[in-house]
Amino acid sequence: MSSTVPDTAPGRHVPSTRPRPPSAAPASPGVLRRAAPALLAYVAVRAVGLLVLAGWAHRQGHGVWPVLATQWDADWYLGIAGHGYARELGTAFDANNLAFFPLYPVLVRAVAALTPGSPAGAGLGIAVVASLVAAWGVFAVGDRLHGQRVGVLLTVLWAALPVGLVQWMGYTESLFTAFAAWSLYAVLSGRWLWAGALAALAGLTRPTGVAVAAAVTVTALLSLRRRFDARVLAAAVLAPLGWLAYVGWVGLRLGRWDGYFAVQRLWHNEFDGGLATLRRMREYLMYDSTPELFLLMVTATLIASVLLFALSAWDRQPLPLLLFTGLLLVIVLGSGGVYFPRARFLLPAFPLLLPAALHLARASLRFRVLALAAAVLGSAYFGAYMALVWPSAP
């Protein structure tokens, strides 16, 4: 079987710009040089955000380190890395750490044991390194589909999301995006075993890893309808194993088949089809006379994500990208849980930014510069506001 996905694959988008030949290995020096502009731009965008955060924190007499490395979800992961998981379900709301998937805290514990720094430093270091790997994967997808310029623009837009600061915090979003981006790239380039293995790792990183698994498995099964290949079948089976393994382990640990879902109910994360999301949107946009700026940003991000998905479908993005972003939107918008972190939950959905990247690639240089500058400065402001003014988790 060829190492590439056939152009006749369901949902296969044939880009106007000829993609890089699939025979080029993703880790080769030449490919890294091709990605260098995107990676340098990514670091520059995040450095601007970090400088704004540091200046704002200095004016408030607030340290930057706790904000980035030890607060909110980072504290939960550090607790798991240091003391392990709960052994009982309990009855307290928002208190059971079995809701957090294991790969990131396992890495934190391993890196902290091998380096002289603290676990918090290890966690932040993992997140920053993973963000670079993720940025490279985001570029690789955009470059493969539409060429280098779109790949660079896609990477910059992903870096400049309003909640982009989370990429350099002790959270799992960067690690998850790295696995998701490279798994999707592997599907697009026909590297099926890599696609399945990376999807399995994504499933051990975040609950939404099921979206990556579905994208790989469904695409693989559709490919098998045309021609059987053992590697494709292996990818279809392998992709969901990480997510299933953790959910099954939680059930065994708690002695009940629905143990993981019982934990999620204690965190108010029950699927209600989007009723709670619509209720919150209506409240903030129509009835609250003084809504929090951060909540307005979250609401705008959710609405924009739906519109961008519609544009992505209109552009006939490749099927695995549409499956991934579509299921991620269903999970995030359909949850009845807390509202304010949902912009962060959508941070890995980078393919939604492809329509904007394509539009910028065709726009004039002046418009492109102004649009990107506005995005970068807006991301820097919202990141600092999210970390230093907003009183809850990002």
Side-chain angles (χ1 to χ4, degrees):
M1 180 175 178
S2 171
S3 63
T4 60
V5 177
D7 287 343
T8 55
R12 175 67 172 169
H13 177 80
V14 181
S16 58
T17 303
R18 186 175 180 86
R20 183 173 69 258
S23 58
S28 67
V31 176
L32 181 56
R33 283 194 298 271
R34 185 175 177 85
L39 296 177
L40 291 173
Y42 173 78
V43 172
V45 173
R46 295 288 8 112
V48 170
L50 193 59
L51 287 173
V52 171
L53 173 67
W56 196 329
H58 178 73
R59 291 182 60 186
Q60 289 190 353
H62 197 296
V64 172
W65 176 259
V67 170
L68 298 178
T70 65
Q71 293 183 355
W72 305 111
D73 284 18
D75 186 45
W76 281 100
Y77 287 117
L78 291 173
I80 295 168
H83 308 291
Y85 280 106
R87 294 186 175 277
E88 298 179 353
L89 179 62
T91 57
F93 288 105
D94 305 334
N96 194 309
N97 64 7
L98 288 165
F100 297 87
F101 275 51
L103 185 56
Y104 178 71
V106 167
L107 291 176
V108 170
R109 184 178 186 126
V111 172
L114 297 173
T115 57
S118 66
L124 186 56
I126 291 168
V128 172
V129 171
S131 77
L132 296 173
V133 178
W136 188 3
V138 170
F139 166 79
V141 171
D143 181 30
R144 178 172 183 82
L145 293 176
H146 302 289
Q148 186 181 32
R149 175 182 289 185
V150 172
V152 172
L153 290 170
L154 182 64
T155 307
V156 172
L157 290 173
W158 182 69
L161 286 171
V163 291
L165 178 67
V166 172
Q167 296 163 7
W168 281 10
M169 295 176 68
Y171 279 54
T172 58
E173 272 71 19
S174 289
L175 185 64
F176 178 74
T177 305
F179 290 136
W182 283 109
S183 179
L184 293 171
Y185 176 84
V187 172
L188 295 175
S189 58
R191 296 172 172 90
W192 288 104
L193 293 180
W194 276 109
L198 291 168
L201 291 173
L204 287 169
T205 306
R206 289 193 59 79
T208 45
V210 69
V212 187
V216 173
T217 297
V218 172
T219 306
L221 293 176
L222 290 173
S223 178
L224 286 172
R225 293 174 59 188
R226 295 186 301 276
R227 180 178 178 182
F228 178 79
D229 188 301
R231 292 170 298 174
V232 179
L233 178 60
V237 173
L238 181 60
L241 291 186
W243 189 87
L244 291 172
Y246 182 66
V247 170
W249 179 81
V250 172
L252 291 173
R253 191 172 182 84
L254 298 180
R256 49 187 294 178
W257 70 269
D258 67 337
Y260 173 76
F261 302 100
V263 171
Q264 287 295 339
R265 284 193 290 272
L266 288 176
W267 283 85
H268 309 285
N269 285 331
E270 294 182 271
F271 189 84
D272 69 355
L275 294 177
T277 303
L278 291 174
R279 217 167 24 243
R280 292 295 186 89
M281 287 182 173
R282 185 176 61 178
E283 175 186 345
Y284 298 136
L285 296 177
M286 298 177 61
Y287 299 115
D288 191 342
S289 58
T290 57
E292 284 274 1
L293 176 62
F294 184 75
L295 295 176
L296 288 178
M297 183 275 291
V298 171
T299 302
T301 299
L302 298 182
I303 294 172
S305 296
V306 174
L307 296 176
L308 286 170
F309 180 78
L311 288 174
S312 299
W314 179 265
D315 286 345
R316 297 183 63 195
Q317 276 187 17
L319 179 64
L321 303 189
L322 291 175
L323 286 171
F324 170 60
T325 53
L327 186 52
L328 195 59
L329 279 170
V330 168
I331 294 170
V332 173
L333 298 177
S335 170
V338 289
Y339 184 79
F340 50 81
R342 298 191 192 199
R344 167 168 64 90
F345 294 163
L346 286 175
L347 193 150
F350 70 91
L352 293 176
L353 299 170
L354 266 171
L358 284 166
H359 178 74
L360 287 174
R362 302 181 186 118
S364 67
L365 177 61
R366 182 172 181 271
F367 178 84
R368 190 157 59 239
V369 170
L370 289 175
L372 292 178
V376 171
L377 293 176
S379 174
Y381 175 82
F382 276 113
Y385 184 93
M386 172 182 71
L388 300 172
V389 178
W390 171 247
S392 296

